[in-house]
Amino acid sequence: MEEILTERQNLFEPNVYITMCVELTGKICPHQLTTAIKEAYKANEATMSRIVLEHGTAYYDKLSVSGCKTIITDKNWIELVKENEKLHLK
């Protein structure tokens, strides 16, 4: 386990919001799409880790299942950007 050395603000708000806008054609099964996205999470260290703080020391703990959310919507990209901008202000 390697200690995390970073600014306090990054330690307590390390969230990365990733919004992807894709155009899919044909018949789409939302369940299969969600399953494919969750499989992609497994290949990314950031989506498979959490920060643990113990006795003043912080470190990354690997997860067996990602805590990331997958939301499938038919909103346009401008609406998504506006929604995600507001998340940081709450």
Side-chain angles (χ1 to χ4, degrees), residues 13 20 28 36 39 47-48 59 71-72 74 76-77 90:
E13 184 55 48
M20 296 181 73
I28 307 300
E39 283 296 313
T47 60
M48 296 303 295
Y59 62 91
I71 300 169
I72 298 171
D74 61 354
N76 68 46
W77 70 270
K90 289 184 178 180

Side-chain angles (χ1 to χ4, degrees):
M1 146 176 68
E2 188 173 328
E3 182 179 356
I4 300 172
L5 302 173
T6 186
E7 296 294 324
R8 184 178 176 91
Q9 64 198 28
N10 295 333
L11 184 61
F12 292 103
E13 184 55 48
N15 296 324
V16 176
Y17 295 95
I18 301 170
T19 302
M20 296 181 73
C21 184
V22 298
E23 188 173 325
L24 303 172
T25 58
K27 189 173 180 180
I28 307 300
C29 173
H31 175 72
Q32 286 180 321
L33 181 57
T34 300
T35 299
I37 293 167
K38 288 182 179 183
E39 283 296 313
Y41 289 155
K42 293 178 185 178
N44 187 312
E45 185 176 32
T47 60
M48 296 303 295
S49 301
R50 68 183 180 115
I51 295 175
V52 176
L53 183 61
E54 289 181 343
H55 312 293
T57 301
Y59 62 91
Y60 290 108
D61 183 30
K62 292 191 180 208
L63 302 170
S64 59
V65 177
S66 177
C68 295
K69 292 184 208 174
T70 301
I71 300 169
I72 298 171
T73 181
D74 61 354
K75 295 179 182 177
N76 68 46
W77 70 270
I78 294 172
E79 289 177 273
L80 293 173
V81 168
K82 287 180 181 177
E83 280 181 15
N84 282 284
E85 285 177 335
K86 292 177 185 176
L87 289 175
H88 299 287
L89 300 175
K90 289 184 178 180

